[in-house]
Amino acid sequence: MSKASKIIEKILAALAKAQGMSPSALIKDDHFKLPRLIPAGTGGTIQITKEVDDLITKLAYELKTARPALARNAKESEWRNWVRGAVGPLVASTPLSDPAGEAPALLTKLDYALNAIVANLAAREYAFGTTLFSKGDVAPFSFGPVMLEPRQVWLDRKTAEGGITSVTQRRMKRIWTSARVGPRKSEREKLREDNILQAIGPCDYVCTVKLSSAFAAEAGLETALTAARLALACSALAFETPSETLRGFNLNYDGPIHNQTALQFIPGKIILSGSRLSRRPFGPFIESSDWQAELVRLKDIYVACGEVLSNLVDSGRSTARREILEALLQALIWFEKGCRETGDLMATVGFAASLDALGKGTKAKGILTMLEARLGIKRTDRISAEGPTFQSVLDTIYSEGRSRTIHGTNEKIGYDWTNTRVVAEQLARYALIACLDYVAKTPTASKTDDLKK
């Protein structure tokens, strides 16, 4: 008998034991103190004990473990809810007199119900309001499955595709030009309209992510958000200091701009500290034609970015060069984290981790080998005429910054890491650009070690 079948047997036995117990007896000694309910079908519910609830959680874990292909498609909480929803009606119609005899048949029915849920999952598309350039007229551009476009262009496209009604389209355009509109007659359409306004917010651009695999809602949202944030980071690679650019490249989903205000007191003095904005309302000024020229100049790099993001939204990771794309993906994730980090030391940790992903986790030695291969520098070269060598700089970034901080042995917490952060960001940016360029121009590159050749 399988583990899942044994768990179902225990569930049936525990339900049999609980028969006839009062609702208050079922929650006795339960810290939750509220009835634990699962659906019984036809609108009814079954009150269960904590023991049964815990067994259902174990059952969900076993059933998902047996389906490794779903590891990325559904979050544990989503899968558990599916199991709770499917197992309830089944146990409600199952005799409890013979748990061992009934368990295998119930497991078969449960597998069938869960497989039906999975089969009905659909490919999803997510849209997020995005602050991008200071002018809202930059033509749409994309990185694989991620499209960035002015909100008016997005609105017209979604209307043409049937995702938004023509009435909502007209109303949204009036709202975005501060014109007055009357109330919606349909509550359903009003709700949809409000959702659009809340999602796009004051942003002039929309970031759309199309998932190539069928995801559950929450797992899909998490994947789409990662892809959207990384697309903004890819855009920022065109600028000398991506961290500054990303202060103006943001998703409305991640919250509005707000004032950051602190108070300080010095004995005998009253000091007003003032405040600052948490980030910029938009990115740099650029003409649409100039950005198109940048897209052409960085074409190969951005093709590789698209390949990396396509790999991200493919839950099966079906690409032939999975290993090298996974390394680039994780390097981009850490690079974006480093750019977004407000603390200089932790930003340095993020950039060092990005370099480490490109060096295949072989520490400073592997990073230097990768930098020599991709940037054509030698570890003994100086970063400037009078500056330290690349090896010395990397020792500071990787050993003192990343490793000692992660392992709790950094004795320089509280030191000024500003200059180290600046150098780490530049090294990580150059390395990412060089590696992306190499991957785009080398179709045979499939292993992370190829970045060191």
Side-chain angles (χ1 to χ4, degrees):
M1 183 180 288
S2 67
K3 283 186 178 180
S5 189
K6 289 179 180 179
I7 294 172
I8 290 176
E9 180 183 342
K10 291 179 180 179
I11 290 173
L12 294 175
L15 287 171
K17 185 176 65 175
Q19 278 189 313
M21 294 177 63
S22 67
S24 59
L26 290 171
I27 62 173
K28 184 180 179 182
D29 300 325
D30 187 345
H31 68 278
F32 188 55
K33 300 304 179 186
L34 290 174
R36 295 174 184 263
L37 303 173
I38 56 174
T42 64
T45 58
I46 303 172
Q47 184 175 347
I48 59 175
T49 60
K50 181 180 185 301
E51 177 188 5
V52 173
D53 211 359
D54 291 343
L55 285 169
I56 292 175
T57 298
K58 290 180 181 180
L59 176 62
Y61 173 80
E62 289 297 328
L63 293 173
K64 192 164 189 285
T65 302
R67 295 167 168 82
L70 290 178
R72 296 184 178 92
N73 300 70
K75 297 179 75 66
E76 299 293 339
S77 57
E78 291 176 303
W79 180 260
R80 186 169 58 249
N81 287 339
W82 293 346
V83 173
R84 287 172 63 88
V87 79
L90 294 175
V91 298
S93 60
T94 300
L96 302 179
S97 56
D98 183 17
E102 296 289 348
L106 195 151
L107 176 58
T108 300
K109 293 176 182 178
L110 180 58
D111 276 331
Y112 181 84
L114 292 172
N115 290 339
I117 292 173
V118 172
N120 284 325
L121 292 179
R124 297 172 183 269
E125 176 181 306
Y126 291 83
F128 310 100
T130 304
T131 58
L132 202 60
F133 300 112
S134 60
K135 292 182 66 177
D137 62 350
V138 172
F141 60 99
S142 62
F143 304 110
V146 183
M147 170 79 77
L148 293 144
E149 55 195 330
R151 64 184 182 185
Q152 297 278 11
V153 176
W154 170 82
L155 182 65
D156 292 343
R157 178 172 64 83
K158 294 309 297 178
T159 303
E161 293 173 357
I164 293 175
T165 67
S166 58
V167 174
T168 298
Q169 177 193 30
R170 291 194 299 270
R171 288 172 59 86
M172 293 304 302
K173 287 185 175 182
R174 288 182 59 81
I175 291 171
W176 284 341
T177 56
S178 300
R180 294 184 62 182
V181 294
R184 292 302 296 257
K185 295 179 180 178
S186 167
E187 282 298 319
R188 185 178 183 183
E189 291 303 320
K190 179 181 183 303
L191 179 61
R192 289 178 175 175
E193 189 175 288
D194 289 344
N195 283 341
I196 294 172
L197 290 170
Q198 290 169 10
I200 309 304
C203 304
D204 286 333
Y205 291 87
V206 177
C207 178
T208 299
V209 182
K210 291 185 177 181
L211 305 183
S212 57
S213 299
F215 285 82
E218 287 301 315
L221 174 61
E222 185 172 307
T223 299
L225 283 168
T226 300
R229 291 166 182 146
L230 294 185
L232 294 178
C234 289
S235 301
L237 285 174
F239 298 87
E240 191 66 27
T241 310
S243 59
E244 282 299 305
T245 302
L246 283 173
R247 288 196 64 207
F249 286 3
N250 296 284
L251 300 179
N252 188 57
Y253 183 93
D254 292 330
I257 297 173
H258 60 275
N259 280 322
Q260 297 174 312
T261 306
L263 298 176
Q264 60 174 309
F265 297 90
I266 297 176
K269 296 182 179 179
I270 299 176
I271 297 178
L272 298 177
S273 298
S275 62
R276 62 182 182 186
L277 288 177
S278 58
R279 58 176 185 253
R280 296 196 180 105
F282 41 73
F285 170 84
I286 191 168
E287 294 288 352
S288 182
S289 58
D290 291 338
W291 179 244
Q292 293 304 313
E294 286 296 291
L295 292 176
V296 172
R297 181 177 71 86
L298 300 173
K299 178 182 177 181
D300 290 331
I301 293 164
Y302 284 159
V303 165
C305 285
E307 194 174 351
V308 171
L309 296 184
S310 293
N311 177 64
L312 169 64
V313 302
D314 174 13
S315 64
R317 299 299 199 264
S318 56
T319 175
R321 15 190 224 171
R322 172 179 174 175
E323 181 183 313
I324 201 167
L325 293 179
E326 286 289 305
L328 287 168
L329 171 62
Q330 290 167 58
L332 272 170
I333 288 172
W334 279 113
F335 182 77
E336 195 264 351
K337 295 296 183 187
C339 287
R340 298 288 188 189
E341 177 59 51
T342 56
D344 293 327
L345 174 56
M346 294 311 297
T348 301
V349 171
F351 295 131
S354 179
L355 289 166
D356 204 16
L358 299 175
K360 201 181 179 180
T362 49
K363 302 182 180 180
K365 182 179 179 180
I367 295 173
L368 285 166
T369 302
M370 178 271 298
L371 292 175
E372 287 177 334
R374 299 277 62 83
L375 296 179
I377 61 173
K378 295 181 180 179
R379 60 193 70 198
T380 54
D381 290 345
R382 296 187 180 278
I383 63 171
S384 61
E386 303 297 328
T389 63
F390 279 97
Q391 181 160 356
S392 175
V393 168
L394 195 61
D395 281 341
T396 300
I397 293 170
Y398 188 87
S399 300
E400 291 189 24
R402 176 196 178 279
S403 295
R404 290 183 178 273
T405 302
I406 289 175
H407 297 132
T409 59
N410 193 337
E411 297 179 353
K412 294 184 178 180
I413 302 293
Y415 279 39
D416 185 359
W417 287 82
T418 307
N419 292 335
T420 304
R421 173 185 185 156
V422 170
V423 175
E425 179 177 349
Q426 289 305 307
L427 268 181
R429 173 177 178 258
Y430 291 142
L432 262 174
I433 288 174
C435 288
L436 288 164
D437 185 63
Y438 171 76
V439 167
K441 294 176 178 176
T442 315
T444 56
S446 62
K447 303 295 182 182
T448 311
D449 279 337
D450 292 339
L451 298 175
K452 302 178 184 178
K453 297 177 182 179

